[in-house]
């Protein structure tokens, strides 16, 4: 059973920074596409960023220039560095893995259904 475990969430003031981590339990996922999604209270889940198996990165417009996704394959870990946080970034952030290694357009990775494995999520709260 593959497990993804997120960490690094917390409470931060607007303008502050946090770094989320997502560790995968299996080494095979070091070559998977890894994505971050978030869900705010009362809202639909939202794509945040992805790091594809071909080393492409894509971001939601709302976080471009503020968030950065990276990965350390030796540690089976993907990171989401979040800077200049805003109250509207408050949400539960979850990482996800797509191990299929198929060539897809960017829009494919913006969809929740493209990912097979999910973590439990970590809460990020940004106070104004």
């Amino acid at each position: 059973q593959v497990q993804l475990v997120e960490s690094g969430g917390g409470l931060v003031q607007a303008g502050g920074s946090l770094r989320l981590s997502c560790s995968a339990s299996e080494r095979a996922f070091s070559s998977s596409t890894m994505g971050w999604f978030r869900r705010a209270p009362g809202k639909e889940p939202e794509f945040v960023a992805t790091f594809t198996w071909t080393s492409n990165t894509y971001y939601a417009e709302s976080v471009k220039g503020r968030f950065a996704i990276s990965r350390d394959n030796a540690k089976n870990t993907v990171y989401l560095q979040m800077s200049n946080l805003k109250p509207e970034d408050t949400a539960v952030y979850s990482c996800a893995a797509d191990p299929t290694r198929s060539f897809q357009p960017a829009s494919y990775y913006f969809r929740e259904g493209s990912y097979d494995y999910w973590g439990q999520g970590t809460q990020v709260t940004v106070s104004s």
Side-chain angles (χ1 to χ4, degrees), residues 1-115:
Q1 181 77 18
V2 173
Q3 289 187 332
L4 301 175
V5 180
E6 302 96 337
S7 61
L11 173 64
V12 64
Q13 288 188 330
S17 299
L18 281 175
R19 189 178 79 158
L20 306 184
S21 300
C22 172
S23 296
S25 62
E26 292 192 4
R27 184 164 183 81
F29 282 82
S30 66
S31 57
S32 299
T33 292
M34 301 294 293
W36 287 95
F37 287 76
R38 66 187 182 186
R39 185 170 213 162
K43 294 187 177 182
E44 293 295 315
E46 177 187 20
F47 166 78
V48 177
T50 193
F51 197 120
T52 72
W53 66 280
T54 54
S55 298
N56 291 311
T57 57
Y58 302 107
Y59 297 91
E61 287 296 325
S62 59
V63 307
K64 274 184 182 178
R66 300 188 298 122
F67 290 12
I69 189 170
S70 62
R71 67 195 299 165
D72 184 338
N73 289 337
K75 296 182 178 179
N76 295 341
T77 300
V78 64
Y79 304 98
L80 185 68
Q81 177 68 48
M82 306 185 295
S83 303
N84 190 21
L85 282 160
K86 304 175 181 180
E88 51 264 42
D89 294 319
T90 295
V92 175
Y93 284 71
S94 298
C95 69
D98 168 21
T100 58
R101 296 171 62 86
S102 60
F103 291 97
Q104 301 289 349
S107 58
Y108 172 86
Y109 298 109
F110 302 165
R111 300 194 295 266
E112 288 183 274
S114 300
Y115 298 82

